[in-house]
Amino acid sequence: MIEIELKCELSSQLLEKVRQKLQGMDFTGVVHNQDIYYDTPTWELLRKAVFLRVRNNSQIEFKFNEDLSQEHGLVNERSFPLHASPTDLKKINALFARFLSTWIPVTAFQTGLKENGLKELVRIDNRRETYTDGRIVLSIDHVEGLGDFLEVETQCQDESDTSLAQAQLQAFVADLNVEHIKVGYVELWLYKHNPEAYKAGRYHLS
């Protein structure tokens, strides 16, 4: 799937405007996501705008951009169970080999991290309130150590034309008059806590 998202900081003034949006949407719950991101010591994945994370100690997730000329808000996603089947492990190994030329194929994800020298890059702890109108998902994120954010997103099939979906998101937030953040929570955290890694990444705040 291709995920298309827009993100901005959530002030108290903006929250008042967002509440108007929520009147036409369904509340779908509160989720507590604890994400651990991994990379090589020289940030080979970060340099290629590839984000590898384990979510809630149960899911392996890859986020990357097929077209590196695109902005951060347009990404491809692949997701697998942490205790992956042999079939899923083949796909996981293929993805790693695509992004890391020295990747050693593995039969277990955690073993693969160690054997290939991947280390923890950052932890993101996010309590998320979600709402949807069936097309668009609106999230209010409370990210530990970073603050509060508004995120709106939608999804498209791989290799589909994303221009219509992007236009829908832009139209959805047009009346909010917000300045979009062109990076994700990983870059925001690195900007504050690991400037060297932040500079090595492909996406920056300005």
Side-chain angles (χ1 to χ4, degrees):
M1 296 293 290
I2 300 174
E3 177 187 276
I4 304 163
E5 67 177 39
L6 296 174
K7 183 188 282 89
C8 62
E9 290 192 62
L10 185 61
S11 64
S12 57
Q13 292 83 0
L14 178 56
L15 184 56
E16 291 298 320
K17 295 181 181 180
V18 170
R19 287 196 179 105
Q20 298 299 315
K21 294 282 189 187
L22 299 181
Q23 292 180 10
M25 305 185 78
D26 296 324
F27 174 63
T28 56
V30 177
V31 178
H32 183 195
N33 287 323
Q34 295 175 302
D35 295 326
I36 303 176
Y37 288 80
Y38 294 91
D39 206 335
T40 68
T42 54
W43 312 303
E44 292 179 63
L45 296 178
L46 188 64
R47 295 177 192 277
K48 299 174 182 176
V50 177
F51 299 89
L52 163 69
R53 72 186 178 198
V54 173
R55 167 157 287 183
N56 297 330
N57 199 35
S58 64
Q59 204 79 1
I60 305 164
E61 297 181 346
F62 290 83
K63 286 192 169 191
F64 57 96
N65 202 319
E66 294 283 8
D67 181 358
L68 291 179
S69 68
Q70 295 285 350
E71 295 182 355
H72 184 279
L74 183 65
V75 296
N76 297 79
E77 285 192 332
R78 301 290 185 272
S79 182
F80 308 92
L82 181 60
H83 301 290
S85 67
T87 299
D88 282 339
L89 279 168
K90 288 182 180 179
K91 296 177 182 177
I92 291 168
N93 278 315
L95 279 170
F96 272 120
R98 175 180 173 184
F99 303 128
L100 298 174
S101 60
T102 59
W103 179 257
I104 302 170
V106 297
T107 56
F109 177 75
Q110 296 292 355
T111 303
L113 295 180
K114 184 176 181 180
E115 291 185 0
N116 287 278
L118 272 69
K119 301 180 181 298
E120 182 178 318
L121 175 66
V122 63
R123 293 186 181 222
I124 303 294
D125 191 302
N126 178 14
R127 292 187 181 274
R128 165 172 285 188
E129 304 170 35
T130 59
Y131 305 81
T132 184
D133 65 358
R135 298 178 302 114
I136 291 171
V137 176
L138 182 152
S139 300
I140 296 174
D141 289 347
H142 310 279
V143 185
E144 185 175 327
L146 292 179
D148 297 336
F149 300 86
L150 172 68
E151 182 177 291
V152 292
E153 66 178 63
T154 189
Q155 291 187 331
C156 299
Q157 294 295 325
D158 287 344
E159 300 179 1
S160 62
D161 183 3
T162 62
S163 57
L164 177 59
Q166 289 177 295
Q168 289 175 336
L169 285 190
Q170 292 287 354
F172 184 82
V173 301
D175 61 326
L176 297 179
N177 192 29
V178 296
E179 183 176 350
H180 306 306
I181 299 173
K182 298 181 179 181
V183 299
Y185 297 135
V186 170
E187 289 94 343
L188 289 175
W189 191 94
L190 293 174
Y191 179 79
K192 286 187 173 185
H193 302 287
N194 191 341
E196 188 178 1
Y198 168 78
K199 291 176 183 177
R202 186 170 290 270
Y203 300 123
H204 301 100
L205 288 166
S206 60

